[in-house]
Amino acid sequence: MSHPNNKESSKIAERRVRVNEQIRISPIRLIAENGGQIGIVSLDEARARAAERGLDLVEVAPDSRPPVVRMMDYGKYKYKAARAAREARRKQHTTQIKEVKFRPGIEDHDYEFKLRHARRFLEEGNKVKLTMMFRGRQITHPELGRQVLLRLTEDLGELGKIEQYPNFEGRQMSMILTPVK
């Protein structure tokens, strides 16, 4: 038993592109498989020419008068289109927000270690959320956290630009850097 949405989606696809027997309007403007124009011919003549070459008739511009129909191998065309779409999806890069957390009194080694992570995230094309976490009485000196965040933006200046300036959210101060294209 097939899913009801599959039938609907295949009907929609058929409506978008009419092939062979689905084309009803005559005369049509016929285009050869190499892209050259054959001209305005009757539907029966177009079907005969396509059958002679072992090709399909595919309606490419149904709204024009007369409708434009092209001779092609429709199965091969659909396969290439699906393959191109799959390849495009594979190459597509989705931008993610990666977070790196800091504390106001961070030591140099820890700072360098986390800076390398942020640098790598920006190089990969991701946004970086730099979060400064305050614990206990550290909250009374937010300027110490802001200094660390500003130092980070200077160190990452060639890779990222500020999208969101440092702002407080409870006991955390955060900012977002986006990669420079």
Side-chain angles (χ1 to χ4, degrees), residues 33 72-89:
E33 65 269 25
M72 67 171 74
D73 184 344
Y74 187 61
K76 193 175 186 180
Y77 167 76
K78 273 179 57 176
Y79 172 75
K80 283 184 177 176
R83 207 167 153 199
R86 199 167 48 244
E87 189 70 22
R89 272 196 307 275

Side-chain angles (χ1 to χ4, degrees), residues 5 46 52 65 123 152 164-165 168:
N5 288 343
E52 186 179 294
R65 290 290 164 250
E123 286 169 351
L152 278 161
Q164 179 183 326
Y165 284 91
F168 257 106

Side-chain angles (χ1 to χ4, degrees), residues 15 35 44 54 56-58 61 64 66 74 88 100 103 107 119-120 124 130-131 134 160 165-166 175:
R15 256 186 258 137
D44 293 333
D56 300 307
L57 291 176
V58 180
S64 63
Y74 187 61
V100 183
R103 299 225 174 258
E107 294 293 326
R119 182 173 281 132
R120 189 183 76 223
E124 290 171 358
L130 303 171
T131 303
F134 295 96
Y165 284 91
M175 68 184 300

Side-chain angles (χ1 to χ4, degrees), residues 97-101 121 127-131 172 174:
I97 295 182
K98 303 284 191 165
E99 186 174 20
V100 183
K101 295 182 176 183
F121 294 150
K127 293 182 180 183
V128 178
K129 181 177 183 180
L130 303 171
T131 303
Q172 294 183 349
S174 62

Side-chain angles (χ1 to χ4, degrees), residues 88 139 155:
I139 199 82
D155 292 342

